[in-house]
Amino acid sequence: MPRIQAEVKPLTQEDLERYWHEVGDELGIAELLKDATVYLGEQHGVIEIDAQTTYFHEDFKPHKIDVIEALRGKSGMRMLDCKVNQLFVGKDELVYSPDEKYKVMVQSNPAMQQMRRLFPSIDF
């Protein structure tokens, strides 16, 4: 038996943003969703979510299915999916040798020299 498929209006950026805020209010996670920017992805049927905080991805995980289901209902796009992009910038870590660390500690606390003489077997 053939199925009748309703005509689905193309999702616009404006509609997507409105639905995003509505879903946040409806699910009680508006605070969480404001930490992300949502936009139409390059692939049809995929929205992209740019996480503005380091914690968004982990905090969003338990709500992802509910948010997508609600967005599917509002947009009429039953195959809508999402991709979360982490945008936070990590900083380069510098590797220091134990001697370099010790020199810096002695500069800020000269008593470290006396501690090293008293406890020579402890690696500072």
Side-chain angles (χ1 to χ4, degrees), residues 82-100:
C82 74
K83 174 184 170 190
V84 178
N85 303 316
Q86 298 288 9
L87 293 185
F88 55 88
V89 177
K91 51 185 176 180
D92 294 335
E93 293 183 20
L94 300 175
V95 179
Y96 296 103
S97 72
D99 287 333
E100 290 172 324

Side-chain angles (χ1 to χ4, degrees), residues 1-71:
M1 176 179 258
R3 296 171 85 170
I4 299 173
Q5 197 151 1
E7 199 66 33
V8 176
K9 175 180 128 183
L11 184 61
T12 64
Q13 181 65 33
E14 186 178 276
D15 288 339
L16 176 60
E17 289 175 12
R18 187 178 77 241
Y19 297 155
W20 182 255
H21 294 293
E22 288 174 5
V23 167
D25 291 336
E26 291 167 8
L27 297 176
I29 56 172
E31 263 321 287
L32 171 64
L33 297 190
K34 79 173 190 176
D35 288 337
T37 305
V38 65
Y39 59 94
L40 298 171
E42 292 181 15
Q43 296 177 352
H44 177 70
V46 176
I47 61 170
E48 296 202 23
I49 303 167
D50 286 347
Q52 303 296 329
T53 66
T54 55
Y55 303 106
F56 178 82
H57 188 68
E58 289 301 315
D59 293 344
F60 181 67
K61 268 184 190 175
H63 305 287
K64 181 178 177 178
I65 292 174
D66 294 332
V67 170
I68 290 299
E69 285 298 322
L71 289 173

